[in-house]
């Protein structure tokens, strides 16, 4: 079982916004501001799109944003494009023993 | 541009040891952090371990007794050995470079992934 809980699937129409949640515990998401998000297209490797809860690597559109409240982190994608259809995974630092834990992934469908 | 390429067998027998190698180009293996991450058939991701520039490996505690990660700076490669393979280890194995923003848990370059199936 994944340590972090994400919805299995979500959908939205082009131009809309969607928010994907990622729920953990005080030992991971709630304990550190080290939540990251990865986008994965079919047959490809994951791509880092958000780190440290809210930061975007260079080259990632500002349509992607992150936030966190208590033990739940969120990824918001605004102005949905067809190319945003992908799997999205959250990841959190979980201390020196576990190091990192992942969410189970959310399949985003752009209708 | 950093590129990573996994190599190794696609089929492993039960209870054998998996050996995978990741060859890096565009960056020195003697810097950054180098991780192995796997993705199970249901798409769940699991971090296996990483080795840093000082050759210090850090492993997922759930795999600690079975995993070894090593580095070969002369070949710009790092390797994964996972012993006592079972069908639960069937997955796509990715190598990845950590160290984005100086953090080992942020992976900015990944290999294409190597499908490893455990079967007699």
């Amino acid at each position: 079982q994944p340590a972090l809980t994400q919805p299995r699937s979500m959908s939205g129409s082009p131009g809309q916004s969607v928010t994907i949640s990622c729920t953990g515990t005080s030992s991971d998401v709630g304990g550190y501001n080290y939540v990251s998000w990865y986008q994965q297209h079919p047959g490809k490797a994951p791509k880092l799109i958000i780190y440290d809860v809210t930061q975007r690597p260079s080259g990632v559109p500002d349509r992607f944003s992150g936030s966190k409240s208590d033990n739940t982190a969120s990824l918001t994608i605004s102005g949905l494009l067809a190319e945003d259809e992908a799997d999205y995974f959250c990841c959190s630092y979980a201390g020196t023993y576990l190091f990192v834990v992942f969410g189970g992934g959310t399949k985003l469908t752009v209708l | 541009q950093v590129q990573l390429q996994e190599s190794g067998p696609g089929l492993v027998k039960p209870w054998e040891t998996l050996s995978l190698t990741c060859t890096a180009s565009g960056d020195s293996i003697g810097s950054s952090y180098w991780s192995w991450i796997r993705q199970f058939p249901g798409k769940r991701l699991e971090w296996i371990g990483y080795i840093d520039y000082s050759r210090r490996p850090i492993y997922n505690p759930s795999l600690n007794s079975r995993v070894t990660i090593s580095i070969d700076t002369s070949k710009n490669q790092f390797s994964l050995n996972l012993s006592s393979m079972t069908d639960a280890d069937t997955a796509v194995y990715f190598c990845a470079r950590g160290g984005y923003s100086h953090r080992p848990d942020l992976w900015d370059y990944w290999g294409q992934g190597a499908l490893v199936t455990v079967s007699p």
Side-chain angles (χ1 to χ4, degrees), chain A residues 37-93:
Chain A
W37 290 89
Y38 291 83
Q39 176 193 61
Q40 185 180 32
H41 287 108
K44 301 294 187 180
K47 174 189 174 184
L48 180 66
I49 58 171
I50 293 287
Y51 69 99
D52 293 357
V53 180
T54 62
Q55 303 302 301
R56 279 188 312 277
S58 59
V60 174
D62 60 6
R63 301 185 297 103
F64 294 88
S65 62
S67 62
K68 191 186 84 165
S69 176
D70 296 327
N71 296 336
T72 298
S74 299
L75 171 71
T76 298
I77 310 171
S78 58
L80 273 177
L81 301 175
E83 66 204 47
D84 298 331
E85 185 162 296
D87 289 320
Y88 292 86
F89 295 87
C90 61
C91 178
S92 175
Y93 179 71

Side-chain angles (χ1 to χ4, degrees), chain B:
Chain B
Q1 178 75 350
V2 177
Q3 292 188 316
L4 302 174
Q5 178 66 59
E6 303 91 350
S7 58
L11 185 64
V12 177
K13 289 183 169 52
W15 307 112
E16 287 189 342
T17 295
L18 169 67
S19 294
L20 291 175
T21 296
C22 182
T23 302
S25 59
D27 189 16
S28 168
I29 208 81
S31 62
S32 295
Y33 304 87
W34 305 94
S35 274
W36 288 97
I37 296 161
R38 63 182 178 178
Q39 187 165 37
F40 297 104
K43 83 181 177 186
R44 181 172 70 91
L45 289 165
E46 180 177 64
W47 168 75
I48 297 171
Y50 77 80
I51 190 164
D52 68 15
Y53 43 82
S54 68
R55 299 174 183 254
R56 178 180 65 112
I58 304 292
Y59 302 134
N60 185 321
S62 69
L63 299 170
N64 191 58
S65 63
R66 297 198 293 137
V67 65
T68 303
I69 297 175
S70 58
I71 203 166
D72 186 339
T73 54
S74 67
K75 296 180 180 178
N76 224 40
Q77 295 175 337
F78 65 108
S79 298
L80 168 71
N81 278 3
L82 187 62
S83 64
S84 303
M85 294 281 284
T86 70
D87 57 1
D89 295 308
T90 292
V92 174
Y93 287 74
F94 292 99
C95 60
R97 188 186 81 167
Y100 189 84
S101 193
H102 308 290
R103 295 247 308 282
D105 60 313
L106 297 178
W107 304 286
D108 53 357
Y109 289 98
W110 297 62
Q112 64 187 23
L115 174 61
V116 176
T117 302
V118 181
S119 176

